[in-house]
Amino acid sequence: IIATLEGPGAERQLEGVLGVLVQQLNAAAAGLDPRVFFELFCGLEILLSRGSASTSAMATIAEEVRVAGWDALQVLLRTQPDTQLREPAMRLRLGHVVSLALDAATTVDAGLDLRSRGVTAVVELWRAVNDADCLACFFPGAASALCKAVAGCVDARQNHSITCAALEALAVICESVLGDTACAAAGIESTAEPSITAVVESWRRQQSKVESMPGAAMAAPSDTATGPGIGVAEDGSTYQYPRVARNRAWLADTSVRVCRLLATALEKTARNENWHVRASAVQMAERVLRTCAVAVAASSTNLARSKPQDGSKVDMATGDADDEDSLGVLLSDTIVGSLYSDSP
């Protein structure tokens, strides 16, 4: 019903069906049957795609229905059977839903409810999957879209709630994919404890901010780090799914690209008149700097430009993180720079 219903009065009926679905899902004590979960996930995917910018031939739906659809999806994610969303067969559909959530979050002319649901849905999808290997496939697009939402800062009449939520979402997705725990799981570990003092000292010596790069896009890390995987369906047929090899070269390249994206966004937040936005930016920078020490080291000049080598260790930076693409310098600049801000 939720995937095919259209025509006169369909939107009111859809809201009613989605309301009943949410009630039933909330009443479910245990996880759903995998087949039921798959059917509901696909149905909500089709419904939500009818309101996106790339709408198909089916009629579009009102924002109220899309808001109800995102509410139903968030409740559905809490009932997923084990780790079904991590399966390669679900990866393309998962990526499509993530893109729909980002589209809802970054649509400038959309209402506050829809945009906030979009940002929340990105975070809920990230937490529901909770697998860095899978999430790395969607991390570039998610980071780019959220940085775009932060740099826009267009929700002044909404107390900048969307901008603050996007900053929090950025911290969540960075920690999930670039965090020390995720890196350790992939065999990418540091050989020494990170020296935050060295990064701050480098910031003081340089006395300059990371140059902003308007319109910076985050492409795939490299041909050697990405490539389609081959899966086998239940009927014996094969299919392709996106895959990213999280290794030393991928971490160095991705960290530099994230630094360039964050530089554009944080340049805007540093000059924002709303103290909520500036505080959220500092909290995001502190969280990423604290939980992504290996990625911070990998973004330094020597590691980012060095020839990739096979191995499980990443040498920590020596403190000379003075390149414009240094993630540590950028985040420290955001934190320390807030102490000297003229704004209250």
Side-chain angles (χ1 to χ4, degrees):
I1 293 177
I2 59 178
T4 60
L5 186 62
E6 56 181 331
E11 293 182 347
R12 185 179 297 274
Q13 297 179 46
L14 281 172
E15 286 191 79
V17 171
L18 291 170
V20 173
L21 176 61
V22 169
Q23 293 178 0
Q24 295 297 320
L25 291 175
N26 284 325
L32 295 178
D33 180 86
R35 294 184 181 273
V36 175
F37 177 86
F38 179 78
E39 291 180 3
L40 290 174
F41 189 85
C42 294
L44 289 172
E45 175 194 3
I46 296 174
L47 173 69
L48 294 169
S49 64
R50 290 167 60 183
S52 66
S54 56
T55 305
S56 62
M58 297 186 68
T60 58
I61 55 177
E63 281 194 11
E64 293 78 8
V65 179
R66 296 174 65 187
V67 169
W70 286 117
D71 288 340
L73 180 67
Q74 292 177 39
V75 176
L76 177 65
L77 292 176
R78 302 172 195 150
T79 64
Q80 68 157 326
D82 299 327
T83 58
Q84 186 172 358
L85 287 177
R86 301 180 187 176
E87 296 179 2
M90 290 285 293
R91 197 157 297 181
L92 289 176
R93 291 190 177 275
L94 177 63
H96 185 212
V97 174
V98 170
S99 67
L100 292 175
L102 293 169
D103 179 69
T106 56
T107 302
V108 177
D109 56 350
L112 172 62
D113 290 340
L114 180 59
R115 296 187 66 192
S116 62
R117 294 304 197 286
V119 177
T120 304
V122 173
V123 176
E124 292 296 331
L125 285 165
W126 232 254
R127 290 172 175 169
V129 176
N130 194 27
D131 181 76
D133 289 327
C134 177
L135 295 173
C137 301
F138 320 120
F139 178 72
S144 180
L146 290 173
C147 285
K148 179 181 177 182
V150 172
C153 294
V154 296
D155 56 330
R157 290 179 296 180
Q158 302 168 355
N159 199 26
H160 297 274
S161 58
I162 302 300
T163 306
C164 296
L167 284 166
E168 183 179 356
L170 269 172
V172 171
I173 68 172
C174 286
E175 181 179 355
S176 299
V177 178
L178 303 178
D180 296 341
T181 302
C183 290
I188 309 173
E189 300 178 355
S190 61
T191 57
E193 290 297 322
S195 176
I196 302 300
T197 303
V199 176
V200 175
E201 288 297 327
S202 174
W203 175 87
R204 289 175 176 172
R205 291 196 305 269
Q206 194 168 349
Q207 291 290 312
S208 63
K209 294 186 176 181
V210 177
E211 296 180 2
S212 61
M213 302 185 64
M218 190 169 182
S222 63
D223 293 337
T224 59
T226 62
I230 305 297
V232 180
E234 294 181 356
D235 57 1
S237 61
T238 60
Y239 60 89
Q240 291 186 346
Y241 62 91
R243 180 185 59 181
V244 172
R246 293 191 304 122
N247 50 33
R248 180 178 177 177
W250 169 86
L251 180 65
D253 195 29
T254 303
S255 300
V256 170
R257 293 176 184 273
V258 168
C259 180
R260 294 172 181 174
L261 288 171
L262 290 177
T264 303
L266 294 178
E267 182 193 23
K268 301 292 185 180
T269 60
R271 299 195 303 264
N272 197 288
E273 296 180 356
N274 191 295
W275 71 270
H276 290 94
V277 173
R278 300 196 304 274
S280 297
V282 172
Q283 292 172 354
M284 184 276 294
E286 187 271 338
R287 180 172 177 177
V288 175
L289 192 62
R290 176 170 49 85
T291 62
C292 306
V294 179
V296 167
S299 67
S300 64
T301 307
N302 294 334
L303 288 178
R305 295 180 178 176
S306 63
K307 183 178 180 179
Q309 299 178 356
D310 295 334
S312 60
K313 299 294 183 180
V314 170
D315 296 332
M316 298 300 297
T318 58
D320 298 327
D322 55 358
D323 188 77
E324 65 177 13
D325 291 333
S326 172
L327 188 59
V329 172
L330 172 64
L331 299 176
S332 298
D333 179 75
T334 301
I335 298 173
V336 181
S338 65
L339 302 177
Y340 302 96
S341 175
D342 295 332
S343 303

